[in-house]
Amino acid sequence: MPTPDTPTTPKLTRRRALTALGLAGAGVAGVTGLAACTGDKSPIWNGGGDGGEKPQETPPKASVTISGPAADAKNVPAGTEIVFAATEAQTTEVSLKDANGAEVKGAMHPDGAGWLPEKALAYGATYTATVTATGDDGKPATATATFTTMAKPPASKQVGVSSFLADNAVIGVGMVLIFKTGRTIPKAQRAAFQRRLLVSTEPFQEGVWTWYSGTELHWRPKVFWKAGTKVFVHVRAGGLPLGGDYYGRRDSTLVCSVGPDIQLRVNDKTHQMTVLKDGKAVKTIPVSLGRPTMPSSSGTMIVIEKKRKTVFDTMDDPNPANRYRTNIDYAQRLTWGGEFIHAAPWSVQHQGKRNVSHGCVNVSMANAAYLFNNTLVGTPLTTVGTPRKLDYGNGWTDWDKPWEEYVKGSAIPYEPPAEPTPDPSAEPSTAPSADPSASPSTPAA
């Protein structure tokens, strides 16, 4: 991922297998008489030398062309990148300068398909791209392209991209990275947009973007985050075409970190919750789940939000039997449908024995306080044994889908990445759904 320390003109290298040259200029020196038949003379290569020498191979010359932006192009999107092709090149250098000759920082996109400026280019400005390729002969080949970016689009044609998480947030090991766009991204533009959301982590963790809806993307690691992981996201959407004459409003970043490895597991058969830290059980808590007519969901959820005090109000429920207004302590939301972990002093006598709630995970006041003080937004909870399966999209249910299915939500065919070599100078290395921006439905107690 590009970082503020990225060199202005990075040198790109690649391995190339040399192609053996045909000996089109070689032949046997003219001989006559018996010598031609008896073989008492070895053939002599044209150009001198004895029969044991071969001609010197001429080092291949490098060549390079810039395919985008084209030379003299006008109205180029400010989110453009430099696309080029180099042949027989051992090293390649890219330079981009503005009209005043000032260098523009940038680096190759991680997929190698183009050189990406460190930030969106200025609107209505002229730039010159120069790509220099050097082959085995040491002689450089150069291509240049001067182009002009488009005028700034009106605000009504700019699409914002926002993160659910704030900078420097500390998240649970099950938290997904969530980004929303100000309008639906057409399917034809989703791969290009997704490609500009660059994620790096330290230590490295494999992960992928998936489209939760046309306006929402989630990035999930293949397995739960490692405690202490540093996460850096660079959204390179500024000036990027997003379909229908719409363009990304600006570039943005997100920096966050992963807290302690806390996981919660609930078994409906035993009416117990097990709290695990670093994979080891550290506490067992009696629970009461949803009554038979309002069962809790079985599946893997994550804590969406936490409220020390709140009010559960279902007075608008069409069924009078389900109407109530109750003060709640230590509430932790799990689904948009209203399932929470929360203190329920009125059901302590049932906790660990039977299910009496409206779908929530009822615990005692003391246990609710313990959980509230040890969990984070993104702490995973897995419930098993209830008669109701968790609906995908009812909350952040990314972990309730197998990895092999989850990757299918990516607009770019997924290929497992190779673990990168650490660079100490770089940033840390990298179904219908509900709409979290909508008002969540009433909670269950």
Side-chain angles (χ1 to χ4, degrees):
M1 158 169 292
T3 73
D5 297 324
T6 302
T8 301
T9 56
K11 182 174 290 186
L12 312 175
T13 62
R14 66 180 180 84
R15 296 181 178 176
R16 175 178 53 78
L18 293 175
T19 301
L21 298 178
L23 301 178
V28 178
V31 291
T32 59
L34 296 176
C37 300
T38 59
D40 58 345
K41 287 190 177 181
S42 299
I44 300 174
W45 295 96
N46 286 336
D50 61 32
E53 294 182 355
K54 294 184 179 180
Q56 294 295 319
E57 292 183 346
T58 301
K61 295 181 179 180
S63 64
V64 61
T65 57
I66 297 176
S67 57
D72 301 320
K74 310 295 183 185
N75 296 317
V76 175
T80 193
E81 57 192 88
I82 310 304
V83 181
F84 62 92
T87 59
E88 302 296 349
Q90 291 292 6
T91 63
T92 307
E93 296 180 5
V94 180
S95 172
L96 183 64
K97 296 182 179 181
D98 64 18
N100 296 321
E103 291 277 0
V104 176
K105 292 182 179 182
M108 289 298 294
H109 189 283
D111 65 13
W115 187 91
L116 189 60
E118 192 175 75
K119 58 183 180 180
L121 302 179
Y123 288 107
T126 299
Y127 295 87
T128 298
T130 303
V131 182
T132 303
T134 304
D136 287 338
D137 61 358
K139 297 179 180 180
T142 301
T144 63
T146 297
F147 60 92
T148 303
T149 56
M150 63 184 288
K152 186 175 182 178
S156 61
K157 289 293 185 179
Q158 297 179 39
V159 180
V161 182
S162 59
S163 166
F164 169 81
L165 293 171
D167 264 344
N168 301 314
V170 179
I171 58 177
V173 296
M175 187 60 195
V176 290
L177 308 177
I178 302 173
F179 284 80
K180 297 196 72 176
T181 59
R183 72 184 299 270
T184 297
I185 305 301
K187 289 185 177 181
Q189 271 69 46
R190 290 183 186 179
F193 175 65
Q194 180 181 322
R195 181 174 171 272
R196 293 295 190 92
L197 276 63
L198 307 178
V199 179
S200 58
T201 69
E202 181 60 49
F204 169 80
Q205 286 206 226
E206 180 180 352
V208 69
W209 289 104
T210 195
W211 287 83
Y212 220 58
S213 71
T215 60
E216 186 173 336
L217 288 104
H218 291 191
W219 193 93
R220 198 204 96 178
K222 185 174 182 179
V223 297
F224 287 148
W225 293 105
K226 299 171 186 174
T229 298
K230 307 299 182 184
V231 184
F232 182 81
V233 185
H234 201 166
V235 179
R236 310 292 287 278
L240 183 70
L242 295 177
D245 293 327
Y246 286 87
Y247 298 85
R249 178 170 297 139
R250 64 174 65 91
D251 293 347
S252 60
T253 60
L254 169 68
V255 179
C256 60
S257 60
V258 181
D261 181 0
I262 300 293
Q263 301 177 36
L264 310 177
R265 297 178 185 173
V266 174
N267 189 320
D268 186 46
K269 302 304 180 185
T270 62
H271 305 292
Q272 301 289 328
M273 173 193 289
T274 301
V275 180
L276 297 98
K277 183 174 184 180
D278 299 324
K280 297 180 180 180
V282 294
K283 191 175 181 65
T284 300
I285 296 174
V287 301
S288 181
L289 301 182
R291 63 189 65 175
T293 56
M294 302 183 71
S296 301
S297 298
S298 281
T300 298
M301 300 152 266
I302 62 176
V303 174
I304 296 172
E305 64 178 346
K306 301 174 62 173
K307 293 185 177 182
R308 172 61 184 84
K309 290 183 177 292
T310 190
V311 177
F312 284 1
D313 189 340
T314 65
M315 296 304 292
D316 58 352
D317 193 294
N319 185 348
N322 295 331
R323 295 174 188 168
Y324 58 88
R325 184 182 292 112
T326 306
N327 293 324
I328 298 293
D329 290 290
Y330 303 111
Q332 302 191 60
R333 180 183 284 276
L334 300 172
T335 71
W336 303 122
E339 295 181 46
F340 288 73
I341 307 168
H342 66 81
W346 56 85
S347 71
V348 168
Q349 67 273 27
H350 302 294
Q351 293 164 19
K353 300 176 182 177
R354 62 187 65 85
N355 295 331
V356 299
S357 83
H358 292 84
C360 287
V361 181
N362 282 188
V363 296
S364 70
M365 186 72 77
N367 285 328
Y370 167 84
L371 291 171
F372 196 90
N373 292 331
N374 284 277
T375 59
L376 295 163
V377 169
T379 292
L381 177 144
T382 300
T383 298
V384 298
T386 72
R388 177 183 176 185
K389 186 180 184 305
L390 177 66
D391 292 328
Y392 190 75
N394 185 16
W396 296 330
T397 55
D398 302 68
W399 295 101
D400 206 50
K401 183 175 284 190
W403 178 251
E404 295 72 18
E405 290 297 317
Y406 192 79
V407 299
K408 294 177 182 178
S410 171
I412 300 172
Y414 180 72
E415 295 182 6
E419 184 168 344
T421 301
D423 179 356
S425 67
E427 291 284 355
S429 72
T430 111
S433 66
D435 183 353
S437 67
S439 299
S441 49
T442 53

